[in-house]
Amino acid sequence: MATKDQILKALISVTAPGLKEDIVSDGLVSDIIIDGGKVVFSITVPKALHGDPTALQKAAEREVLALDGVETALVALTAEAEPVVSTEPPKLKQRKERPLGPDMRPKSAAIPGIKHILAVASGKGGVGKSTTSANLALALSGLGLKVGLLDADIYGPSLPRLFGMVDDRPELKEDVLYAMERYGIKVMSMGFLMEEENPVIWRGPMIVSALMQLLKEVAWGELDVLVLDMPPGTGDTQLTLAQQVPVAGAVIVSTPQDLALIDARKGLKMFQNVDVPILGIIENMSTFICPHCGERSDIFGHGGAQEESAKLGVPFLGGIPLHMDIRKYSDAGTPVVMAEPDGPHAKIFETIALKVAAQLNPVEDED
Ligand code: ADP
C-alpha cells in the first residue's frame, strides 16, 4: 500500500493556473487518511485559482488511484474562504466486494433518497453531542456531500437554537412535511413541531414512532448522508431506534472523564449488539484553550477517549477542545464550522468528517 509520502509525491504533479507551484508545495492538501486500500484527503481551493476546481479534484484522484494498492480515492474540495458546496458530490470509486468481514448493514437504506444514515450518539446528556452533530453535518457538507440533520433529541431538541431557527416552522404541503434548509443542509427537529413551554412527556414507543415518521415521511430530497442526532443515553428508546433505523454507522461522542467513557462504552455496546458498525469515538471538551492567553489546560484530563478507543479497537476520530467560541457560536445560531470556516475548530471537524466519509461505503445500486 502506498505511504503518505508516496501519495504526496504523486500529487506534486497536480497543478492549475493560479497556483504558485502545485497543490502540495502550495500547502493545499489536508492530512491524508489511509484506510486499507482507501485514501481520503481534501484540497483547499485557493481564491486565486482560475478555472474549474473539480479538474484539480479529478487530477488528484487520478494520480492517487495510479499508485500501488490504492483501490478507492475520496478527494474533497474545501474553499479557502467558505466551504464549497459543489454540485457534484465526491464519489468513492468503489470496489464491488467489501474487503473485510461480513457486511451486516442493510443492503440499502430503507428511506428513499437517503444514501447513508449516520447516528451520532452519547452515553449520557451534556457531552456536546448536538454541538458535534451540527458541526459534523456542516463539515460533511463542506466536503461536497448532500447532508441532512435530524435532531432526534425529543426531550431537549437543540437544533432550532443551534441553527438560529427558533421561530421557523417547516412547510406542510398536501400532507407532506418538508425538511427545512439552512447553511446548505436539510434540517428537521421535533423542536419545530412542539411548543417550547410544553415539555414532552411521551413514553418510549411514542418517541420511536414519532422519530420514525420524521425519518420516513419528511421530504428530505436526495441526501448522501443524514446525520441523526440521537437522544442521549442507551435506554430502550435508543436501542429501538438503533434497531429500526437503517444506520450505516455510528459515531460516539464522549468527554474525557472516566464516567463519561463508561457511559460511552455502553453506547458502543448498544450499536455492536445490533450490528451497526462503529465509525469511531470523538472526544469533546478534550482540552481547554484559554480565550485570553491561548494556554491549554486539560480540565477533564486528556486523551482518555484516544486510549479507550485503542483498547476497544474502535477508531479515534479526533478531539474537540472546550472553547468559548464553540459555545458562543452555537448559542448565536451559527455553529463554529459555519461561523469560522477557516478557523482551527472547523479544521478539526473537517478532519473528522473526512475520517467518517472514508468509512461510509456507498450503497450499491441494485441494477
Ligand atoms: P448534548 O447534546 O450532549 O446534551 P450539547 O451539544 O447541547 O450537549 O452541549 C451542551 C453545552 O455545552 C452547550 O451549551 C454547548 O454549547 C456546550 N458545548 C458543547 N461542546 C463544547 C465545546 N467543545 N466547547 C465549548 N462548549 C461546548
Side-chain angles (χ1 to χ4, degrees):
M1 178 61 199
T3 61
K4 283 188 190 183
D5 279 347
Q6 285 167 330
I7 295 169
L8 282 173
K9 220 162 156 190
L11 291 175
I12 288 179
S13 63
V14 179
T15 187
L19 299 195
K20 285 192 210 89
E21 288 176 50
D22 57 83
I23 57 170
V24 178
S25 315
D26 288 17
L28 305 177
V29 177
S30 73
D31 197 20
I32 296 173
I33 295 154
I34 302 173
D35 178 15
K38 203 182 277 179
V39 174
V40 185
F41 60 91
S42 68
I43 302 172
T44 307
V45 179
K47 285 192 208 118
L49 179 85
H50 305 307
D52 179 10
T54 57
L56 271 187
Q57 186 182 28
K58 290 203 183 94
E61 241 174 46
R62 242 189 341 264
E63 289 301 328
V64 174
L65 283 170
L67 295 171
D68 257 1
V70 179
E71 286 152 8
T72 67
L74 172 63
V75 182
L77 293 177
T78 55
E80 199 171 49
E82 43 197 291
V84 165
V85 182
S86 84
T87 45
E88 272 285 294
K91 290 215 171 59
L92 289 172
K93 296 238 164 32
Q94 191 197 336
R95 295 195 338 146
K96 278 292 164 205
E97 76 279 15
R98 269 171 55 83
L100 291 171
D103 186 0
M104 306 300 282
R105 281 167 288 181
K107 275 288 164 265
S108 63
I111 298 159
I114 301 179
K115 288 202 188 121
H116 310 98
I117 296 179
L118 171 71
V120 180
S122 65
K124 62 171 192 177
V127 301
K129 175 183 50 60
S130 298
T131 308
T132 305
S133 302
N135 282 298
L136 179 59
L138 291 168
L140 285 164
S141 161
L143 300 182
L145 298 167
K146 287 189 213 123
V147 178
L149 173 60
L150 173 57
D151 171 15
D153 191 347
I154 227 122
Y155 298 109
S158 40
L159 190 145
R161 183 180 45 85
L162 274 169
F163 278 65
M165 301 174 79
V166 174
D167 297 322
D168 295 8
R169 291 293 171 264
E171 194 183 359
L172 183 69
K173 252 197 318 206
E174 288 164 16
D175 275 353
V176 178
L177 195 60
Y178 286 81
M180 288 184 279
E181 196 156 345
R182 183 84 162 159
Y183 306 134
I185 69 174
K186 294 281 178 76
V187 293
M188 183 49 82
S189 165
M190 273 310 280
F192 294 133
L193 308 174
M194 37 192 222
E195 300 299 325
E196 231 176 315
E197 292 78 38
N198 291 338
V200 178
I201 42 166
W202 297 353
R203 299 198 182 281
M206 279 172 76
I207 297 179
V208 172
S209 81
L211 288 174
M212 291 308 290
Q213 225 170 330
L214 281 186
L215 261 174
K216 291 191 169 164
E217 288 170 31
V218 162
W220 288 101
E222 295 283 317
L223 295 180
D224 293 310
V225 190
L226 176 76
V227 177
L228 178 63
D229 180 3
M230 295 271 291
T234 50
D236 283 348
T237 308
Q238 292 80 356
L239 182 63
T240 316
L241 269 181
Q243 268 168 332
Q244 293 196 1
V245 178
V247 176
V251 165
I252 310 284
V253 181
S254 169
T255 62
Q257 290 137 295
D258 273 343
L259 188 65
L261 285 172
I262 291 167
D263 286 322
R265 212 172 298 153
K266 283 193 213 150
L268 279 178
K269 220 166 159 26
M270 178 178 84
F271 285 110
Q272 280 163 344
N273 286 343
V274 292
D275 288 324
V276 170
I278 306 289
L279 307 188
I281 295 181
I282 299 175
E283 186 178 74
N284 188 32
M285 311 190 189
S286 177
T287 194
F288 173 70
I289 302 176
C290 173
H292 307 294
C293 65
E295 193 180 280
R296 66 180 264 178
S297 340
D298 297 329
I299 296 182
F300 300 123
H302 175 66
Q306 188 156 12
E307 274 171 32
E308 201 62 25
S309 309
K311 260 195 248 158
L312 296 165
V314 176
F316 176 71
L317 297 172
I320 300 152
L322 175 66
H323 196 285
M324 190 69 103
D325 285 351
I326 297 181
R327 194 198 55 73
K328 192 182 75 188
Y329 285 124
S330 288
D331 283 354
T334 312
V336 70
V337 163
M338 204 62 214
E340 282 189 8
D342 290 331
H345 306 309
K347 197 83 214 142
I348 295 171
F349 278 106
E350 184 197 320
T351 306
I352 294 175
L354 282 166
K355 289 185 187 169
V356 168
Q359 296 183 71
L360 290 173
N361 282 323
V363 178
E364 294 192 23
D365 292 332
E366 293 296 305
D367 48 54

